[in-house]
Amino acid sequence: MLEKSIGQSAAILNSDFIAIAIIKDRHIVWANAAMHRIFAYEPDELIGQATRNLFLDQDSYEAFGREAYAAIAEGSTYTGIIPQKRKDGSTGWYEFNISSFGDCSDVAVGAIVDRTASYQGLQKLEVSESRYRSVVEDQTEVISRFLPDGTFLFVNDVFCRVFGKVADELIGHRWHPAAHPDDIPMIEARLSEMSPDHPVVTIENRVYVAGGELRWMQFINRGFYDIGGILKEIQSVGRDIAAQHEALTKLQASEERYRTLVEATSVVTWFCPANGLQVAPQPAWMAFTGQTAEEMLGAGWAKVVHPDDVEAAAALWKSAVERGEPFLNVHRIRRHDGVWRWMNVRAVPVRDRQGRILEWMGMGQDVTEQKQAEMALAESEEQLEMALAASGLVLWDWHIPERKVTTGNRWFELLGYNKEELGDNEDDWMDLVNPKDLEHFKQKISAHLQGETVSFESEHRLRHKDGHWVSVEARGRVTLRDRQNNPLRMVGTILDISQRKRLNEEGVDLLKRIESLIRESSSPLTSKAENVKAAESLTKRQRQILGMIATGMTSAEIGRQLHLATPTVISHRRNLMANLGLHSTAEVTRFAIDHGLITTK
């Protein structure tokens, strides 16, 4: 039965806009994609989990259960904002609206809205707005109905409590709350504006409530007329606005009060018909942008989108409406004060059971600070990458508990892989280390992770994609540890030292060859006669070139001096060394000195 009910409702419940979960026996039996997303779980990962797993502690879990299930048992809806634990262990604040699921009395359905950002913002305003919140949270409405001459036909309990009266004192009698004398002319003038064509008049004025306290109240007065246009009776709904009036004395209209709420929560909501064009005023949008109802109708919303963003946003919205697919975009919208704000805008189609789109439900969330932080981070990372590139260094970042390694783009240039081929798995990166260097590498890194060394330093070889080994110098340091001093994160750099190593090796080889020449020169020359004969057989040009080589001139320099092409000199040089059995510049130098081709000082 439950599965059938869920299946029938899935098209409505499985919205990407509002998180919805179905609970039975305090376990989640179904949750839509939005529910998984705001709690940072993979799709369907919440299914079957106990609701206790989402609570910070046992006390909050039990307190929530008592309140929520008591409300459901009474047939009402439980509403509250509760701190919850995401999958990664972080805490979020969520607004819950929980009621019974259709005819299944033992099953509850919850609609959940992520209020973390707005809650954190409201916390900062808590001190200055404590009085305002207390009024908003505890506010009650006074309701009365009376004849044009003021005779009461009905008063509710709240009305009686506020003004210190009982119903019997009021029903059938004429009585009015005592208004402040300075407000009476304004009240009379506003009431005189009421007519069949203008039956509703809203008045804000000061009244003396029970105990003689003077309070600000707002009264919404609606007149009821007969077919002849004669006023028959008036209904008045009043509420205490003392705190709002004190905090918003400069605001003249309800739209401006709405703007304050929108800006505090950084969320703008709106609805529009299936064709995607506005046909009715949207108070939240108007409050945020400052547009009038006439300005926003149709596709007027585009007029307050940043010129650089409007073309792409309009095209995405048109495509979403035509395809009947959710709309998601981040673009800038001009706030009522002229400031451009980055907004994360989402809209989803609301469908009937036949799949037809009834309307679009949209929400825009102000993410300016987040966007600015992202852009600043991107700029910082770009500057860092440029600095690293200039120095030849490559950045790496090791998230130790997760066994993940992230790197700068130059990593892949250094080793010839792309990001998909190399990935971020720790084991894949360790496999790149030359087996002959691996043990020494592990000892070095283990010593630093255990706190035995101030920093990590290692010279080792890494495997290039084409198979050759790249010699590198690695440096790094643990940047984050937990309370038990276990390493959590390590950041460092890699420097390609292949050329430096090669030069060092060539230098050592050169020294060895020089030593060999010295030993050879100090030993008896068994083939001296042959060398003399070979030297005497050289032509004048060959002797000249051989002498120039011995003085350290390059082939290009010799060519310029003798007016010969460089390839010609190279050919002479190669043939001379082959014919004379010489294998290096050092041997050529020794031969030239021995046979008087150059002179030594």
Side-chain angles (χ1 to χ4, degrees):
M1 178 67 179
L2 176 60
E3 290 76 6
K4 181 179 180 181
S5 299
I6 293 175
Q8 293 173 341
S9 306
I12 299 173
L13 299 178
N14 201 4
S15 166
D16 189 43
F17 184 73
I18 296 178
I20 299 176
I22 298 176
I23 293 111
K24 182 178 182 182
D25 296 331
R26 302 203 176 194
H27 282 72
I28 300 171
V29 297
W30 184 87
N32 67 355
M35 176 71 177
H36 284 81
R37 186 183 68 254
I38 68 174
F39 281 89
Y41 281 86
E42 297 297 324
D44 296 330
E45 191 176 357
L46 283 171
I47 307 303
Q49 290 205 32
T51 55
R52 170 64 181 88
N53 295 340
L54 301 180
F55 284 82
L56 304 184
D57 51 51
Q58 186 67 23
D59 290 342
S60 62
Y61 171 67
E62 292 176 356
F64 168 78
R66 287 193 299 270
E67 295 177 11
Y69 286 100
I72 294 172
E74 295 174 358
S76 59
T77 298
Y78 168 81
T79 300
I81 296 180
I82 306 164
Q84 296 277 275
K85 182 169 63 179
R86 300 189 183 97
K87 182 181 178 182
D88 61 6
S90 60
T91 300
W93 289 84
Y94 302 90
E95 178 182 333
F96 282 78
N97 291 272
I98 301 176
S99 58
S100 60
F101 184 69
D103 297 331
C104 304
S105 59
D106 60 337
V107 180
V109 61
I112 303 99
V113 178
D114 189 346
R115 298 295 189 195
T116 303
S118 60
Y119 179 82
Q120 292 171 343
L122 289 174
Q123 279 184 317
K124 297 178 182 178
L125 301 174
E126 190 167 5
V127 175
S128 63
E129 297 187 355
S130 59
R131 186 178 181 187
Y132 173 78
R133 286 203 319 277
S134 65
V135 173
V136 171
E137 292 169 357
D138 299 334
Q139 71 174 345
T140 54
E141 295 179 333
V142 298
I143 303 174
S144 64
R145 294 176 68 94
F146 48 87
L147 297 173
D149 64 0
T151 301
F152 280 100
L153 302 175
F154 168 81
V155 291
N156 68 348
D157 292 340
V158 178
F159 189 102
C160 296
R161 289 199 304 272
V162 169
F163 293 104
K165 299 288 183 178
V166 296
D168 291 342
E169 293 181 84
L170 300 173
I171 304 300
H173 300 277
R174 298 166 63 182
W175 178 86
H176 295 284
H180 191 284
D182 294 345
D183 296 343
I184 291 176
M186 179 272 296
I187 295 171
E188 292 177 346
R190 293 301 314 282
L191 287 175
S192 67
E193 297 173 3
M194 188 181 295
S195 67
D197 296 329
H198 184 61
V200 178
V201 174
T202 300
I203 303 174
E204 294 182 2
N205 60 273
R206 291 164 290 179
V207 297
Y208 292 97
V209 298
E213 181 184 1
L214 189 65
R215 305 284 291 180
W216 275 97
M217 293 194 71
Q218 180 190 78
F219 294 92
I220 301 176
N221 305 283
R222 174 179 287 276
F224 295 90
Y225 296 82
D226 62 16
I227 58 175
I230 304 300
L231 180 63
K232 303 300 294 181
E233 63 181 67
I234 300 170
Q235 175 178 281
S236 180
V237 178
R239 63 188 182 96
D240 189 330
I241 60 166
Q244 296 100 307
H245 199 277
E246 181 179 348
L248 307 172
T249 54
K250 295 182 180 180
L251 299 180
Q252 300 294 316
S254 60
E255 180 181 316
E256 291 175 320
R257 289 195 296 273
Y258 204 124
R259 178 179 300 127
T260 301
L261 178 62
V262 168
E263 292 176 357
T265 60
S266 300
V267 174
V268 179
T269 57
W270 46 268
F271 298 85
C272 71
N275 64 5
L277 299 175
Q278 292 288 357
V279 297
Q282 299 294 318
W285 177 267
M286 294 161 61
F288 187 83
T289 64
Q291 282 189 307
T292 64
E294 292 75 17
E295 289 172 336
M296 66 157 293
L297 295 182
W301 61 271
K303 298 176 183 177
V304 292
V305 177
H306 194 282
D308 294 343
D309 303 338
V310 65
E311 184 176 351
L316 286 172
W317 175 241
K318 180 180 179 182
S319 176
V321 172
E322 290 175 351
R323 297 172 179 270
E325 298 174 347
F327 170 84
L328 173 62
N329 194 40
V330 178
H331 54 261
R332 287 162 287 184
I333 295 177
R334 188 183 64 238
R335 200 168 58 187
H336 60 85
D337 57 4
V339 176
W340 293 104
R341 305 293 292 179
W342 283 97
M343 303 292 288
N344 183 3
V345 184
R346 303 172 60 86
V348 294
V350 179
R351 303 177 184 271
D352 61 17
R353 293 190 176 184
Q354 286 72 44
R356 294 171 298 193
I357 297 177
L358 302 175
E359 63 180 355
W360 287 84
M361 178 169 61
M363 179 182 75
Q365 184 172 15
D366 190 330
V367 293
T368 302
E369 286 72 21
Q370 176 185 337
K371 187 69 175 180
Q372 290 172 340
E374 290 174 354
M375 291 189 294
L377 177 60
E379 182 179 358
S380 176
E381 289 180 344
E382 182 180 359
Q383 292 174 346
L384 175 60
E385 188 68 22
M386 291 174 63
L388 291 171
S391 65
L393 295 172
V394 183
L395 185 68
W396 53 268
D397 190 344
W398 183 17
H399 297 264
I400 299 170
E402 300 173 17
R403 297 176 57 79
K404 288 186 177 180
V405 179
T406 57
T407 66
N409 292 329
R410 296 190 63 252
W411 254 106
F412 305 101
E413 298 173 11
L414 176 66
L415 298 179
Y417 299 91
N418 58 42
K419 291 185 178 181
E420 290 71 24
E421 291 172 330
L422 206 49
D424 59 7
N425 186 273
E426 174 188 311
D427 291 335
D428 293 337
W429 286 87
M430 290 296 182
D431 287 343
L432 296 176
V433 180
N434 189 303
K436 296 180 180 179
D437 303 336
L438 187 59
E439 185 62 31
H440 181 70
F441 171 81
K442 288 183 175 180
Q443 290 174 358
K444 288 273 190 177
I445 206 163
S446 176
H448 180 60
L449 293 178
Q450 293 174 17
E452 297 174 4
T453 58
V454 176
S455 62
F456 160 73
E457 297 181 12
S458 172
E459 285 191 13
H460 52 272
R461 289 163 292 178
L462 297 176
R463 187 181 65 252
H464 193 278
K465 182 179 178 180
D466 64 13
H468 74 268
W469 295 103
V470 179
S471 295
V472 298
E473 179 181 75
R475 298 175 182 269
R477 179 173 295 181
V478 172
T479 60
L480 183 64
R481 294 180 181 270
D482 61 18
R483 292 181 179 179
Q484 289 73 43
N485 205 38
N486 296 313
L488 301 177
R489 184 181 182 189
M490 185 172 175
V491 178
T493 59
I494 285 286
L495 177 64
D496 184 351
I497 60 171
S498 300
Q499 184 176 7
R500 188 175 79 191
K501 295 281 284 187
R502 184 168 59 253
L503 291 175
N504 288 343
E505 291 169 358
E506 290 177 355
V508 171
D509 182 63
L510 179 59
L511 287 174
K512 291 180 179 179
R513 296 178 70 175
I514 290 173
E515 290 175 356
S516 176
L517 285 172
I518 293 173
R519 287 195 301 270
E520 290 175 2
S521 66
S522 62
S523 61
L525 299 176
T526 57
S527 58
K528 185 174 181 179
E530 293 180 3
N531 287 340
V532 170
K533 184 177 180 181
E536 292 175 349
S537 68
L538 295 175
T539 66
K540 181 179 180 181
R541 175 53 57 88
Q542 288 175 330
R543 293 169 66 86
Q544 190 178 22
I545 292 174
L546 198 62
M548 289 180 174
I549 294 173
T551 61
M553 294 179 65
T554 65
S555 297
E557 290 171 339
I558 295 171
R560 284 195 296 271
Q561 186 164 329
L562 299 181
H563 305 290
L564 297 174
T566 300
T568 301
V569 176
I570 293 173
S571 178
H572 279 301
R573 182 174 187 159
R574 184 170 53 248
N575 293 336
L576 278 170
M577 294 179 70
N579 293 336
L580 297 174
L582 304 177
H583 303 93
S584 68
T585 301
E587 291 182 4
V588 172
T589 301
R590 171 56 59 186
F591 185 91
I593 293 172
D594 290 344
H595 295 87
L597 302 180
I598 61 173
T599 60
T600 58
K601 295 182 181 180

